[in-house]
Amino acid sequence: MVNASPRHKALSLAVFTALCASSHAYAQQAAAPAGEDEPTTLGTMTVTAQKREEVLQDVPITVAVISEELLQDTGVRDIKDLQVLVPGLTVTSTQNEAITTARIRGIGTVGDNVGLESSVGVVIDGVYRPRNSVGFGDLGQLERIEVLKGPQGTVFGKNTSAGVINVVTRRPSYTQSAEGEITVGNYGALGVSGSYNDALSDNAAFSIFAAKRKRDGWMDVRTGNGPRQETDDYDQNFHTVRAKLLLEPTDNLEILLSGDFTSRDENCCTAVQTTVGGTAAILNALAGGRAVAAPGDDPFDRVAYSNRPTTQDIMDKGLSAEINWDTPWFGGATLTSITASRQWEAINGLDYDFSTADLLYRNADKDESFTGFDTFSQEFRLTGSSERIDWMVGAFYSDEELTRNETYRIGPHYEPYVSTLVYQLVGQSLGAAGVPLNNPNNISPAAFLAQVGGRPFGTGFTGLGSLDRYEQNAKSLALFTNNTWHATDALDLTLGLRYTREKKDLTSSYSNPNGSLACSGTLADQNAANPNRFALLRAALASRSSVFASLPAANQNAILASVGPTIAGYMCLPWANALHNGRNTFQEMEDKEWSGTVKAAYRWNENVMTYASFARGYKGGGFNLDRVQSADGLSASGQGIRPVNDTSFGGEFVDSFELGTKTTWADGTLLLNATLFHQEYEDFQLNSFLGTSFVVRSIPEVTSSGLDAEILWQPRAVQGLMLQGGLMYAKTEFGKDIPGGDFVERTPLSTSGALYKLPGATMPFAPEWSGSLSATYEWDFGADHIGRFNIGGKYMGDYNTGSDLDVEKHQSSYTVFNARVGFGRSDGRWMLELWGTNLTDEDYVQVGFDGPLQGLFPDPNNPLNTFNAFLGAPRMYGMTLRVRY
């Protein structure tokens, strides 16, 4: 099942076999004598992984459950914090915090294309969220978070082909209480939060939570000549309000109304250079000083170069109503209705070249850089049970309006930079052919493209290069059922099925306000219908090469036909391509798909359960919301300048097989669970940044196989100690056969495709080994006070952080530790805590990527290439005072 080295395969199987063998032996032990009081233990922990409350050890699903206490001990406030507690979970962000990606078992959606929906679903209080980024913020008072691994499409929906992060926040109670918190820390961190809960009557209660958090940035920024003023980045400045109203007018009717609002006004995200190539010299000359890091600089000094603001303004708000009615139907079945309306908006400034040279940027203005979702969703579930069957039927509907405004502004350094770069590349090519650009007239390379495009220097590339607007509507309707038949007292059989029908349409409007004059000029010069074809390019080369000028016309024409398209390609990059100007396209698609699951679980006794499962998952197709161009106007083709009208990509499918065991030991104080899994993905949606744009590719086959094990232990011999941990081995690989020019390695007659390293290789962000362990210890100080200590660590093995697997983007294995120690009253009235995250100040990369217009060649170790990275956060520490009434 696991396609791995014999040693790793043997180790994985040995762990699973040993656990099963010991489970079988334990199954023969006698149960506790009847009549004894059964204490509340770990073995009675409940989850809602199948949309009904069930004991964790009875659910035939791989679930990591993080309790309220552990979430507080480890300082988890959002899904990005969560990854330190869950093996196999990776959460990263890139150009701004609105672009947050979660991956489970190495599987997840990459990149900033909001047309891509996540492979890992985020559900908060029963409401599905359209993108992972909505989980990056203060989630308020948490009851627990469940991380469900593997496809969960039957009950949680279509876009959960890799798993689900199910967030459950605290409900109102009928007890009056108030809580407050104040936090101070390094980087000028200051946070305050408060909550109040009370009863309005015997059948109504409410709660409200509010928080405000600020922090200086942990990235130093060199701004060059500006206009950026902020000299740090990755700061924090947001506030959150969440409120709930619980109504219970009768014994069999419950209504929960919820509302929340979050606003973030911050600066994010700059990147550092991890490899500095030959293009740096051009940038430095244009910027009049250091434009990017120098070769040999340590990227983990956390110094970035950016002359343009990275202002981000993110707003997330919504209302929901959950109604649970214990009906008189079908033996008291419960009807659940969850209605939600949500709005999410993000405005982001961007320094596209990540340097102090002024090449490309985007203003933080709604008309220029905006992404917004307006989502309405409605779910109905009818859940019931009889002596032998637990059943559920339901329906789900959502209507999502997506709006995106995207622009690229061209700075004054763009033309001389690209011109000098293209001049060097053409010179290398012609020099190898015996036609050097010896520049007898001593003409500046910075003026090369001006002559080729027939424009005065400084007028061909300027101002607002592109202004594009996208409006997408997605309607989804699903019918689903999930049923468990208790065939015997020991054997449970589960059948789940979901039918999804989804319609999407996209209206796109493209414009080039600056007219793309340089691109227009070279296209006219190279037009086959032009009787003076190549006149501008011929004059430019002749004035810069005495050898070219002396060649016969036929030889000159052959050279022009060879280098002309390459030069035009650089002059007509997506934001400067005149062929996009004035385009309006309409696309639509419809999916009708089945997903489902079959499970068999056998309980040997009350302490041991084993299960086998099969699941079919589905993730919807969509459209690439970006300028897409290729050699022939087809999305799957190689690089070129012809606009692509059909930017659609199909759905993603997965077949998942699991064999697991869940065991309870030591009178319910020790849980040991393990799962062997094998997942086969078909038409996996890969989004790659290729140095100038993001491109979506459907990968025919991706497999992920391995072992997932976890432990929860509350040893009786050491009162107050709690251990929670997990270990994952996963081999996640691309299939060996991937069609398309991007996946072809260099041949004697061609250069390598941008993604040639992918076939048969390990997926990015997919370490073979990962593990986590958290230990909490609580002890008494006298009669009225307690101490509490927690330390947790997350280990990640080697993996690549780039979707194209460039060797320069490799991340070595690392471990991150967080810790918290507190002292306070036994009754919880107050607690003072000292805390630290990334205690050892571990250096690691979130995401590596080609330097825009600086990472030009896919082959390793090319001296011209520059590579950038978004870094993980450094060590942070502080103090928190909690009070409760």
Side-chain angles (χ1 to χ4, degrees), residues 261-283:
F261 175 86
T262 298
S263 176
R264 303 173 66 103
D265 184 8
E266 301 163 349
N267 297 284
C268 194
C269 299
T270 51
V272 299
Q273 285 77 41
T274 54
T275 300
V276 180
T279 56
I282 309 174
L283 295 174

PDB file of all heavy atoms in Angstrom, residues 261-283:
ATOM      1  N   PHE A 261     -18.106  39.853  13.013  1.00  0.00           N
ATOM      2  CA  PHE A 261     -17.495  40.864  12.164  1.00  0.00           C
ATOM      3  C   PHE A 261     -16.020  40.939  12.508  1.00  0.00           C
ATOM      4  O   PHE A 261     -15.645  41.028  13.684  1.00  0.00           O
ATOM      5  CB  PHE A 261     -18.145  42.233  12.377  1.00  0.00           C
ATOM      6  CG  PHE A 261     -17.467  43.348  11.612  1.00  0.00           C
ATOM      7  CD1 PHE A 261     -17.825  43.610  10.303  1.00  0.00           C
ATOM      8  CD2 PHE A 261     -16.466  44.112  12.197  1.00  0.00           C
ATOM      9  CE1 PHE A 261     -17.197  44.618   9.585  1.00  0.00           C
ATOM     10  CE2 PHE A 261     -15.836  45.121  11.492  1.00  0.00           C
ATOM     11  CZ  PHE A 261     -16.198  45.372  10.178  1.00  0.00           C
ATOM     12  N   THR A 262     -15.177  40.882  11.481  1.00  0.00           N
ATOM     13  CA  THR A 262     -13.731  41.002  11.671  1.00  0.00           C
ATOM     14  C   THR A 262     -13.186  41.969  10.633  1.00  0.00           C
ATOM     15  O   THR A 262     -13.552  41.910   9.458  1.00  0.00           O
ATOM     16  CB  THR A 262     -13.026  39.641  11.515  1.00  0.00           C
ATOM     17  OG1 THR A 262     -13.491  38.742  12.518  1.00  0.00           O
ATOM     18  CG2 THR A 262     -11.521  39.797  11.657  1.00  0.00           C
ATOM     19  N   SER A 263     -12.291  42.852  11.081  1.00  0.00           N
ATOM     20  CA  SER A 263     -11.634  43.788  10.175  1.00  0.00           C
ATOM     21  C   SER A 263     -10.143  43.753  10.459  1.00  0.00           C
ATOM     22  O   SER A 263      -9.719  43.810  11.609  1.00  0.00           O
ATOM     23  CB  SER A 263     -12.174  45.208  10.379  1.00  0.00           C
ATOM     24  OG  SER A 263     -11.478  46.126   9.556  1.00  0.00           O
ATOM     25  N   ARG A 264      -9.352  43.665   9.389  1.00  0.00           N
ATOM     26  CA  ARG A 264      -7.893  43.661   9.498  1.00  0.00           C
ATOM     27  C   ARG A 264      -7.349  44.782   8.612  1.00  0.00           C
ATOM     28  O   ARG A 264      -7.684  44.860   7.432  1.00  0.00           O
ATOM     29  CB  ARG A 264      -7.309  42.319   9.045  1.00  0.00           C
ATOM     30  CG  ARG A 264      -7.847  41.122   9.785  1.00  0.00           C
ATOM     31  CD  ARG A 264      -7.347  39.820   9.149  1.00  0.00           C
ATOM     32  NE  ARG A 264      -5.912  39.676   9.294  1.00  0.00           N
ATOM     33  CZ  ARG A 264      -5.330  38.869  10.178  1.00  0.00           C
ATOM     34  NH1 ARG A 264      -6.072  38.145  10.984  1.00  0.00           N
ATOM     35  NH2 ARG A 264      -4.015  38.779  10.253  1.00  0.00           N
ATOM     36  N   ASP A 265      -6.488  45.608   9.203  1.00  0.00           N
ATOM     37  CA  ASP A 265      -5.855  46.712   8.472  1.00  0.00           C
ATOM     38  C   ASP A 265      -4.364  46.617   8.751  1.00  0.00           C
ATOM     39  O   ASP A 265      -3.882  47.131   9.767  1.00  0.00           O
ATOM     40  CB  ASP A 265      -6.429  48.047   8.938  1.00  0.00           C
ATOM     41  CG  ASP A 265      -5.876  49.224   8.156  1.00  0.00           C
ATOM     42  OD1 ASP A 265      -5.166  48.995   7.154  1.00  0.00           O
ATOM     43  OD2 ASP A 265      -6.132  50.373   8.555  1.00  0.00           O
ATOM     44  N   GLU A 266      -3.618  45.958   7.853  1.00  0.00           N
ATOM     45  CA  GLU A 266      -2.248  45.550   8.148  1.00  0.00           C
ATOM     46  C   GLU A 266      -1.356  45.753   6.926  1.00  0.00           C
ATOM     47  O   GLU A 266      -1.821  46.218   5.869  1.00  0.00           O
ATOM     48  CB  GLU A 266      -2.238  44.085   8.604  1.00  0.00           C
ATOM     49  CG  GLU A 266      -3.083  43.841   9.841  1.00  0.00           C
ATOM     50  CD  GLU A 266      -3.410  42.377  10.073  1.00  0.00           C
ATOM     51  OE1 GLU A 266      -3.173  41.557   9.170  1.00  0.00           O
ATOM     52  OE2 GLU A 266      -3.916  42.061  11.164  1.00  0.00           O
ATOM     53  N   ASN A 267      -0.104  45.392   7.077  1.00  0.00           N
ATOM     54  CA  ASN A 267       0.849  45.438   5.972  1.00  0.00           C
ATOM     55  C   ASN A 267       1.433  44.046   5.776  1.00  0.00           C
ATOM     56  O   ASN A 267       2.066  43.502   6.681  1.00  0.00           O
ATOM     57  CB  ASN A 267       1.976  46.424   6.274  1.00  0.00           C
ATOM     58  CG  ASN A 267       1.476  47.847   6.417  1.00  0.00           C
ATOM     59  OD1 ASN A 267       1.169  48.513   5.435  1.00  0.00           O
ATOM     60  ND2 ASN A 267       1.372  48.318   7.653  1.00  0.00           N
ATOM     61  N   CYS A 268       1.220  43.494   4.609  1.00  0.00           N
ATOM     62  CA  CYS A 268       1.686  42.132   4.339  1.00  0.00           C
ATOM     63  C   CYS A 268       1.496  41.824   2.848  1.00  0.00           C
ATOM     64  O   CYS A 268       0.473  42.229   2.286  1.00  0.00           O
ATOM     65  CB  CYS A 268       0.891  41.134   5.168  1.00  0.00           C
ATOM     66  SG  CYS A 268       1.618  39.474   5.248  1.00  0.00           S
ATOM     67  N   CYS A 269       2.394  41.240   2.136  1.00  0.00           N
ATOM     68  CA  CYS A 269       3.515  40.488   2.658  1.00  0.00           C
ATOM     69  C   CYS A 269       4.719  40.695   1.726  1.00  0.00           C
ATOM     70  O   CYS A 269       4.605  40.531   0.504  1.00  0.00           O
ATOM     71  CB  CYS A 269       3.201  39.019   2.708  1.00  0.00           C
ATOM     72  SG  CYS A 269       1.788  38.601   3.787  1.00  0.00           S
ATOM     73  N   THR A 270       5.825  41.073   2.277  1.00  0.00           N
ATOM     74  CA  THR A 270       7.063  41.133   1.528  1.00  0.00           C
ATOM     75  C   THR A 270       7.735  39.759   1.533  1.00  0.00           C
ATOM     76  O   THR A 270       7.382  38.883   2.311  1.00  0.00           O
ATOM     77  CB  THR A 270       8.011  42.168   2.140  1.00  0.00           C
ATOM     78  OG1 THR A 270       8.137  41.912   3.543  1.00  0.00           O
ATOM     79  CG2 THR A 270       7.505  43.572   1.935  1.00  0.00           C
ATOM     80  N   ALA A 271       8.739  39.600   0.659  1.00  0.00           N
ATOM     81  CA  ALA A 271       9.479  38.345   0.571  1.00  0.00           C
ATOM     82  C   ALA A 271      10.973  38.650   0.591  1.00  0.00           C
ATOM     83  O   ALA A 271      11.394  39.779   0.300  1.00  0.00           O
ATOM     84  CB  ALA A 271       9.115  37.579  -0.696  1.00  0.00           C
ATOM     85  N   VAL A 272      11.747  37.645   0.909  1.00  0.00           N
ATOM     86  CA  VAL A 272      13.209  37.788   0.925  1.00  0.00           C
ATOM     87  C   VAL A 272      13.798  37.000  -0.236  1.00  0.00           C
ATOM     88  O   VAL A 272      13.154  36.110  -0.801  1.00  0.00           O
ATOM     89  CB  VAL A 272      13.807  37.291   2.254  1.00  0.00           C
ATOM     90  CG1 VAL A 272      13.267  38.099   3.423  1.00  0.00           C
ATOM     91  CG2 VAL A 272      13.530  35.795   2.460  1.00  0.00           C
ATOM     92  N   GLN A 273      15.034  37.325  -0.589  1.00  0.00           N
ATOM     93  CA  GLN A 273      15.742  36.572  -1.626  1.00  0.00           C
ATOM     94  C   GLN A 273      16.535  35.439  -0.959  1.00  0.00           C
ATOM     95  O   GLN A 273      17.328  35.686  -0.054  1.00  0.00           O
ATOM     96  CB  GLN A 273      16.700  37.473  -2.409  1.00  0.00           C
ATOM     97  CG  GLN A 273      16.025  38.393  -3.401  1.00  0.00           C
ATOM     98  CD  GLN A 273      15.361  39.591  -2.754  1.00  0.00           C
ATOM     99  OE1 GLN A 273      15.910  40.192  -1.840  1.00  0.00           O
ATOM    100  NE2 GLN A 273      14.166  39.939  -3.204  1.00  0.00           N
ATOM    101  N   THR A 274      16.282  34.219  -1.405  1.00  0.00           N
ATOM    102  CA  THR A 274      17.044  33.074  -0.898  1.00  0.00           C
ATOM    103  C   THR A 274      18.202  32.731  -1.820  1.00  0.00           C
ATOM    104  O   THR A 274      19.196  32.152  -1.379  1.00  0.00           O
ATOM    105  CB  THR A 274      16.131  31.853  -0.754  1.00  0.00           C
ATOM    106  OG1 THR A 274      15.465  31.606  -2.006  1.00  0.00           O
ATOM    107  CG2 THR A 274      15.087  32.086   0.325  1.00  0.00           C
ATOM    108  N   THR A 275      18.075  33.050  -3.106  1.00  0.00           N
ATOM    109  CA  THR A 275      19.157  32.900  -4.083  1.00  0.00           C
ATOM    110  C   THR A 275      19.173  34.167  -4.933  1.00  0.00           C
ATOM    111  O   THR A 275      18.134  34.575  -5.456  1.00  0.00           O
ATOM    112  CB  THR A 275      18.935  31.672  -4.987  1.00  0.00           C
ATOM    113  OG1 THR A 275      18.889  30.498  -4.184  1.00  0.00           O
ATOM    114  CG2 THR A 275      20.058  31.544  -6.002  1.00  0.00           C
ATOM    115  N   VAL A 276      20.329  34.786  -5.041  1.00  0.00           N
ATOM    116  CA  VAL A 276      20.434  36.038  -5.798  1.00  0.00           C
ATOM    117  C   VAL A 276      21.190  35.755  -7.089  1.00  0.00           C
ATOM    118  O   VAL A 276      22.333  35.298  -7.070  1.00  0.00           O
ATOM    119  CB  VAL A 276      21.159  37.121  -4.987  1.00  0.00           C
ATOM    120  CG1 VAL A 276      21.265  38.410  -5.798  1.00  0.00           C
ATOM    121  CG2 VAL A 276      20.421  37.378  -3.680  1.00  0.00           C
ATOM    122  N   GLY A 277      20.541  36.018  -8.228  1.00  0.00           N
ATOM    123  CA  GLY A 277      21.131  35.735  -9.528  1.00  0.00           C
ATOM    124  C   GLY A 277      21.622  36.972 -10.236  1.00  0.00           C
ATOM    125  O   GLY A 277      21.677  38.086  -9.694  1.00  0.00           O
ATOM    126  N   GLY A 278      21.960  36.790 -11.499  1.00  0.00           N
ATOM    127  CA  GLY A 278      22.583  37.836 -12.292  1.00  0.00           C
ATOM    128  C   GLY A 278      21.702  39.034 -12.577  1.00  0.00           C
ATOM    129  O   GLY A 278      22.206  40.118 -12.892  1.00  0.00           O
ATOM    130  N   THR A 279      20.372  38.882 -12.470  1.00  0.00           N
ATOM    131  CA  THR A 279      19.495  40.027 -12.721  1.00  0.00           C
ATOM    132  C   THR A 279      19.615  41.093 -11.651  1.00  0.00           C
ATOM    133  O   THR A 279      19.208  42.243 -11.873  1.00  0.00           O
ATOM    134  CB  THR A 279      18.034  39.567 -12.810  1.00  0.00           C
ATOM    135  OG1 THR A 279      17.699  38.860 -11.604  1.00  0.00           O
ATOM    136  CG2 THR A 279      17.812  38.652 -14.001  1.00  0.00           C
ATOM    137  N   ALA A 280      20.170  40.725 -10.488  1.00  0.00           N
ATOM    138  CA  ALA A 280      20.277  41.692  -9.392  1.00  0.00           C
ATOM    139  C   ALA A 280      21.114  42.912  -9.788  1.00  0.00           C
ATOM    140  O   ALA A 280      20.836  44.036  -9.361  1.00  0.00           O
ATOM    141  CB  ALA A 280      20.873  41.019  -8.161  1.00  0.00           C
ATOM    142  N   ALA A 281      22.138  42.698 -10.598  1.00  0.00           N
ATOM    143  CA  ALA A 281      23.005  43.813 -10.991  1.00  0.00           C
ATOM    144  C   ALA A 281      22.222  44.871 -11.759  1.00  0.00           C
ATOM    145  O   ALA A 281      22.458  46.082 -11.595  1.00  0.00           O
ATOM    146  CB  ALA A 281      24.167  43.291 -11.828  1.00  0.00           C
ATOM    147  N   ILE A 282      21.300  44.447 -12.615  1.00  0.00           N
ATOM    148  CA  ILE A 282      20.489  45.409 -13.375  1.00  0.00           C
ATOM    149  C   ILE A 282      19.590  46.184 -12.424  1.00  0.00           C
ATOM    150  O   ILE A 282      19.470  47.411 -12.514  1.00  0.00           O
ATOM    151  CB  ILE A 282      19.651  44.682 -14.445  1.00  0.00           C
ATOM    152  CG1 ILE A 282      20.511  43.753 -15.290  1.00  0.00           C
ATOM    153  CG2 ILE A 282      18.923  45.695 -15.322  1.00  0.00           C
ATOM    154  CD1 ILE A 282      19.716  42.910 -16.273  1.00  0.00           C
ATOM    155  N   LEU A 283      18.937  45.475 -11.495  1.00  0.00           N
ATOM    156  CA  LEU A 283      18.042  46.131 -10.546  1.00  0.00           C
ATOM    157  C   LEU A 283      18.797  47.133  -9.672  1.00  0.00           C
ATOM    158  O   LEU A 283      18.314  48.238  -9.413  1.00  0.00           O
ATOM    159  CB  LEU A 283      17.351  45.082  -9.672  1.00  0.00           C
ATOM    160  CG  LEU A 283      16.391  44.118 -10.384  1.00  0.00           C
ATOM    161  CD1 LEU A 283      15.905  43.040  -9.425  1.00  0.00           C
ATOM    162  CD2 LEU A 283      15.205  44.872 -10.973  1.00  0.00           C
TER     163      LEU A 283
END
